[in-house]
Structure formats: C-alpha cells, structure tokens
C-alpha cells in the first residue's frame, strides 16, 4: 500500500495465541481507510471486538473532519480562511484552541529556522498549484507580487488573549506543512480516549503510533527508497509512541524542460525546491515531525539536520541526488530506530 508521498506503511499483524490474563479477550487487528483533508487517511488498531474498533475509528475520523473545517485553506468558511481575510486590517482576531496551537507551533519553528518554515507562503502556494495543473512555470511578475505578502514576521500572536494579527494586506495562510501532522496526533488521541492502546494513524506520508501491536516490539514502518536508479535498498524502522513524516518530490511536483520543481517552496524565494530528495523525521509527535521535514527540505541536510538535533527526541534522515549521485545523511540517533536486518528489500 502506498500513501500520497509514496511512503509505504507495513504494520505487521500479530496473531495473539494467549491472553495476558484468563478474563481478557485477545486483541484483534482492524483497519480503516477514508479520504480526509484531501488525502487518504488510514487507521490500524488492535481492539477486543469490532464494535469498539469501529467506535474508536469513527472518533478519530470525526476529529480529523472537525480539524479540516478549522485548518483548511481550500474551504472559504474555515477558521483559517476567515483569519486570512482579516490581513492588513489592523485587527487582532481571537482564534480557537486548535488553530492557536498550530499557529503558535508554526511561528516558533519559523523563528528557529529563520523563515525556512513559514505558513504565510499561501499566495505563492496558490500560484504553484495552478502551475502544476497547467504544466507551466508561474508568471515571474505574479510570483514577485505574491512574495510581498509573505513573511512570518508580519504575524503577531498574543498568548494572553489568544489573538492573531496579520499585518500585511493580501496574506493567505497555509498550514499544510504542519496541520496534517496535528490532525494525525489528535486522531490518535481520540483513539486512545476510546480505550485503544495500540494504534497507527497515517495520512499522506505522515503517521503516528501508540503502543506496539500485541506480541511485537513496535510498529514496523518501511522507508521507501528514492525514485532513482541505483537507489539503496528499503530500510525499516520500529516505532512506539512516536511519529514519522516524510516530505519530498516523489509525486507532487512540476517538471519543465527536464527540471523537477517540488511542491515544497522556499519561503524566501517562492520557488519550488529543485533538490531531488526525501527528508524523513521521527519525533514524539506528528506535528513536530511533519513541520521539521519541510525545514530540512528547504535548509538542506547541512543546516537542517543540526536544527533537528536541537529538537528533543527528534531524528532526521535525508536521501538526495546532488549532481546525479545518491547521498544519504542522518542525524545522530536516527539509527537507533532501525529494525535489525532491515536492509533487505521486500515485504515480510
């Protein structure tokens, strides 16, 4: 099975042959898939029976749907879109707790990365979406005009009042690089509140897991190789109570005259990245992992990996093709997540 970014998730189903105690029912594996936030979301969980599995999955999907109504930049009625329309009016807008958490985390990372992560890049994102549909480069004059509305420093947060003020006219916020991770985290929490302690939630190349499947040390996740000749074999990691996100140009890209432009934009230039690469980050939560993959992609491994290493309990891996040669770089500690003997290609 492949997610949108081409990262395959292989959760090994365990056959439980005995109960922990005589009065406990053996847990069974259940899987659910549904389109949410414009992406295929997948849930795998272990529950004692089907009704409880269904209830947990519904709670998770309901939470994702709720957040889509808050964080979507496609929906003109979403809370995010309404906030964008207040730009340049000098008004401080009080926002709900979910949008505040995402905005606060995004601004903190924007400051840490000196703008390599920037949710005000929305005007440029719209131009590149149109470019991918029309298979041609965005108009340079329109890109330059859009860039005038981009800049995390024009977003003012007031934690005491939980308000946001957008100081520049025509700003358009896009939290796609962090909001999906937040939704995955919240869906996993909803499953936990339903009494399920072993679950995986995945969407668009990002995922988060709770406790390990019964009888297993962790969730077995395959890191797909880069789509390049002579790419190294697939590797597997084993995760519990953690999240993994991968960003790159496997599918969402524009190719013009043999040159690949990623859907990930450099906020400083409004140009799609041309570094053919996959950046993977493992972190305690998916909002952190999701957003850090964008930072590593924009900054490159030399600057991006040290920033990840400054993030508690986070690790990064970057596979790229500079000058036609495949290179793999990892942060300190990434190797601890590898499953032993995971270099072999194929599905177990």
């Amino acid at each position: 099975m492949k997610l949108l970014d081409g990262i395959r998730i292989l959760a090994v189903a365990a056959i439980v042959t005995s109960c922990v105690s005589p009065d406990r029912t053996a847990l069974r594996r259940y899987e659910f898939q549904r389109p949410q936030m414009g992406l295929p979301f997948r849930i795998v969980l272990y529950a004692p029976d089907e009704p409880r599995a269904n209830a947990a999955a519904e709670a998770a999907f309901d939470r994702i749907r709720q957040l889509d109504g808050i964080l979507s930049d496609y929906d003109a009625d979403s809370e995010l879109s309404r906030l964008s329309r207040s730009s340049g009016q000098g008004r401080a807008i009080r926002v709900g707790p979910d949008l505040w958490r995402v905005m606060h985390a995004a601004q903190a990372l924007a400051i840490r990365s000196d703008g390599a992560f920037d949710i005000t890049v929305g005007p440029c994102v719209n131009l590149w979406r149109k470019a991918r549909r029309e298979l041609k480069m965005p108009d340079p004059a329109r890109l330059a005009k859009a860039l005038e509305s981009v800049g995390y420093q024009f977003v003012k947060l007031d934690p005491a009042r939980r308000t946001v003020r957008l100081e520049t006219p025509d700003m358009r916020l896009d939290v796609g690089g962090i909001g999906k991770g937040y939704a995955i985290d919240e869906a996993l929490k909803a499953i936990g509140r339903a009494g399920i302690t072993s679950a995986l939630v995945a969407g668009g190349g990002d995922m988060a897991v709770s406790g390990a499947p019964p009888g297993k040390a962790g969730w077995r996740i395959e890191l797909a190789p880069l789509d390049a000749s002579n790419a190294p074999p697939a590797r597997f990691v084993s995760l519990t109570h953690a999240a993994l996100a991968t960003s790159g140009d496997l599918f969402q890209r524009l190719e013009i005259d043999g040159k690949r432009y990623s859907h990930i934009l450099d906020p400083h230039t409004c140009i799609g990245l041309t570094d053919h690469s996959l950046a993977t980050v493992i972190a305690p939560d998916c909002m952190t992992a999701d957003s850090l993959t964008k930072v590593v992609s924009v900054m490159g491994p030399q600057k991006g990996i040290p920033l990840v290493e400054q993030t508690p309990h986070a690790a990064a891996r970057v596979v790229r093709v500079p000058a036609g040669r495949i290179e793999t770089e990892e942060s300190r500690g990434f190797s601890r997540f590898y499953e032993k003997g995971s270099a072999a290609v194929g599905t177990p």
Side-chain angles (χ1 to χ4, degrees):
M1 278 169 280
K2 289 191 176 181
L3 294 176
L4 191 61
D5 282 345
I7 305 305
R8 291 177 293 171
I9 309 168
L10 300 174
V12 179
I15 300 176
V16 182
T17 57
S18 61
C19 301
V20 174
S21 59
D23 59 347
R24 183 179 175 187
T25 304
L27 298 178
R28 297 178 56 191
R29 182 182 187 274
Y30 297 89
E31 182 172 343
F32 308 85
Q33 186 161 315
R34 192 175 300 176
Q36 299 272 27
M37 303 180 90
L39 302 166
F41 270 77
R42 179 171 172 246
I43 294 173
V44 179
L45 58 83
Y46 289 82
D49 53 57
E50 187 172 355
R52 272 179 274 193
N54 290 337
E58 283 302 318
F61 285 128
D62 285 347
R63 182 64 172 131
I64 297 171
R65 184 165 50 250
Q66 177 190 32
L67 289 171
D68 190 30
I70 295 170
L71 303 176
S72 173
D73 67 303
Y74 287 94
D75 182 358
D77 294 326
S78 72
E79 185 178 7
L80 183 76
S81 295
R82 295 196 305 271
L83 177 61
S84 292
R85 289 196 293 272
S86 74
S87 64
Q89 299 178 10
R91 294 189 295 139
I93 307 297
R94 182 174 172 83
V95 299
D98 290 310
L99 182 55
W100 174 262
R101 292 187 194 106
V102 172
M103 294 280 299
H104 188 270
Q107 285 299 99
L109 185 56
I111 294 170
R112 286 183 61 203
S113 65
D114 193 25
F117 186 83
D118 192 336
I119 62 172
T120 70
V121 77
C124 299
V125 171
N126 284 345
L127 292 178
W128 281 92
R129 286 173 180 166
K130 184 174 183 289
R132 288 199 299 274
R133 291 194 301 269
E134 298 178 351
L135 299 179
K136 65 180 182 180
M137 292 289 291
D139 178 69
R142 297 188 67 184
L143 276 178
K145 179 63 176 178
L147 196 56
E148 294 177 3
S149 301
V150 175
Y152 72 92
Q153 64 270 25
F154 303 129
V155 177
K156 303 300 180 183
L157 304 184
D158 184 343
R161 299 180 179 179
R162 206 174 73 200
T163 61
V164 180
R165 187 175 73 252
L166 306 180
E167 296 189 327
T168 301
D170 301 320
M171 296 183 77
R172 185 179 177 89
L173 303 179
D174 184 338
V175 298
I178 190 171
K180 179 179 58 177
Y182 179 72
I184 288 173
D185 290 333
E186 289 297 299
L188 192 63
K189 290 177 184 177
I191 292 172
R193 288 192 293 270
I196 304 301
T197 59
S198 179
L200 175 150
V201 179
D206 300 347
M207 67 203 73
V209 301
S210 53
K216 300 296 178 180
W219 291 87
R220 191 175 194 241
I221 310 298
E222 180 181 355
L223 308 178
L226 198 67
D227 61 333
S229 59
N230 301 319
R235 299 297 302 270
F236 294 86
V237 295
S238 180
L239 301 179
T240 58
H241 301 289
L244 179 148
T246 299
S247 289
D249 60 353
L250 279 175
F251 292 99
Q252 295 192 65
R253 64 176 183 259
L254 173 65
E255 292 194 30
I256 300 292
D257 297 328
K259 192 171 186 178
R260 294 167 62 143
Y261 295 88
S262 172
H263 70 292
I264 302 172
L265 307 184
D266 183 340
H268 301 108
T269 64
C270 248
I271 301 297
L273 302 182
T274 57
D275 180 18
H276 180 28
S277 65
L278 282 177
T280 298
V281 172
I282 296 174
D285 62 88
C286 202
M287 181 165 65
T288 298
D290 185 17
S291 54
L292 282 176
T293 59
K294 312 308 183 296
V295 169
V296 174
S297 295
V298 172
M299 297 180 74
Q302 285 74 30
K303 294 181 179 180
I305 286 179
L307 188 143
V308 172
E309 291 177 334
Q310 296 167 11
T311 306
H313 311 296
R317 177 179 189 259
V318 180
V319 183
R320 54 199 294 265
V321 191
R325 185 181 64 184
I326 296 176
E327 294 181 356
T328 300
E329 299 185 51
E330 297 177 356
S331 66
R332 295 188 304 271
F334 191 92
S335 60
R336 74 181 184 272
F337 296 105
Y338 281 128
E339 180 187 63
K340 292 182 179 179
S342 69
V345 178
T347 301

